[in-house]
Amino acid sequence: DTAVSQTPKYLVTQMGNDKSIKCEQNLGHDTMYWYKQDSKKFLKIMFSYNNKELIINETVPNRFSPKSPDKAHLNLHINSLELGDSAVYFCASSTGLAGVETQYFGPGTRLLVL
Amino acid sequence: AQSVTQLGSHVSVSEGALVLLRCNYSSSVPPYLFWYVQYPNQGLQLLLKYTTGATLVKGINGFEAEFKKSETSFHLTKPSAHMSDAAEYFCAVSQPTNDYKLSFGAGTTVTVRA
């Protein structure tokens, strides 16, 4: 069974559209994350949730809205998509927020905005 | 403030040769240090990490890294490269003064020549 899964794997859409990416983990972890990997493969954290509570909210446009319906799920909704949103988005999870925990990453969602 | 510098965006090695990937960090306090690997079209996977204790850390797939506080380095090595080691490698740090957020280096692409 996949530990951290994301859907869809690929997403091609037009500028201005609204889209969602879903993430689920079956590891029993309390903490989940969203990362953005740009075309140069640079990885940057966007959000983190612990027990459904928002912990980290980096300087991300408010067009991006994460939602955690339960500890096992963290979805990412993006409004009014822009060309610059094209990237690979990774979901990850860990047991906690003490900084020493291993983060387990999903396979990524490749978003292309045309 | 913290930052991670990976020296060399591309490293090419012959099969059976030593793999050496360099990582230096800047941090006001001793950080936690990680190496992650990303195989093509996949998510990141932990290779190894240093938190406390022994400064030489052994990881999966024959990799190891040594934390050198005096040099603020955490270089990754593998004595003998295998074709399957071709991937993107990321050094990352976390520390309490940055809410334990994982900050990644720019990555090093490793190619292995037959």
Side-chain angles (χ1 to χ4, degrees):
Chain A
D1 282 341
T2 303
V4 182
S5 59
Q6 297 179 227
T7 53
K9 191 169 183 179
Y10 299 95
L11 189 50
V12 181
T13 188
Q14 299 288 329
M15 262 196 320
N17 284 350
D18 303 338
K19 290 294 179 185
S20 291
I21 307 172
K22 296 187 176 182
C23 177
E24 177 181 2
Q25 54 95 3
N26 62 6
L27 297 168
H29 289 167
D30 289 335
T31 307
M32 296 185 72
Y33 312 81
W34 278 111
Y35 287 88
K36 179 180 180 180
Q37 185 175 46
D38 64 23
S39 58
K40 295 184 179 179
K41 298 198 174 181
F42 183 67
L43 265 165
K44 187 168 170 56
I45 190 167
M46 300 172 69
F47 302 102
S48 77
Y49 271 73
N50 183 256
N51 284 317
K52 303 195 298 175
E53 181 183 347
L54 180 65
I55 302 297
I56 294 173
N57 184 349
E58 289 294 277
T59 50
V60 177
N62 58 15
R63 297 182 294 104
F64 290 79
S65 53
K67 281 188 173 52
S68 181
D70 55 58
K71 286 196 321 182
H73 296 83
L74 180 61
N75 304 322
L76 184 65
H77 188 75
I78 315 171
N79 289 326
S80 304
L81 277 155
E82 301 178 357
L83 294 177
D85 297 332
S86 295
V88 182
Y89 292 85
F90 287 101
C91 177
S93 72
S94 67
T95 54
L97 280 172
V100 302
E101 300 88 355
T102 299
Q103 291 189 20
Y104 294 81
F105 285 76
T109 295
R110 285 146 186 83
L111 172 65
L112 178 60
V113 182
L114 302 174
Chain B
Q2 65 182 42
S3 68
V4 184
T5 303
Q6 290 183 239
L7 295 174
S9 58
H10 289 88
V11 169
S12 179
V13 299
S14 298
E15 193 173 20
L18 171 72
V19 179
L20 170 59
L21 304 182
R22 299 179 187 273
C23 174
N24 288 89
Y25 65 89
S26 61
S27 175
S28 55
V29 298
Y32 301 130
L33 297 158
F34 304 79
W35 276 100
Y36 281 85
V37 62
Q38 183 180 23
Y39 297 106
N41 297 314
Q42 294 186 29
L44 280 73
Q45 176 183 2
L46 181 75
L47 275 177
L48 48 79
K49 63 182 176 182
Y50 170 78
T51 55
T52 58
T55 56
L56 182 62
V57 181
K58 294 189 185 298
I60 61 171
N61 301 339
F63 284 93
E64 63 181 37
E66 186 170 12
F67 169 57
K68 291 187 176 180
K69 184 178 178 181
S70 61
E71 298 177 9
T72 60
S73 69
F74 191 56
H75 301 330
L76 181 72
T77 60
K78 180 174 180 177
S80 177
H82 191 272
M83 297 298 288
S84 60
D85 294 326
E88 190 81 19
Y89 292 79
F90 293 94
C91 182
V93 301
S94 75
Q95 62 175 353
T97 52
N98 196 29
D99 297 325
Y100 292 115
K101 288 180 287 190
L102 261 188
S103 293
F104 287 90
T108 299
T109 303
V110 172
T111 57
V112 182
R113 305 185 303 272

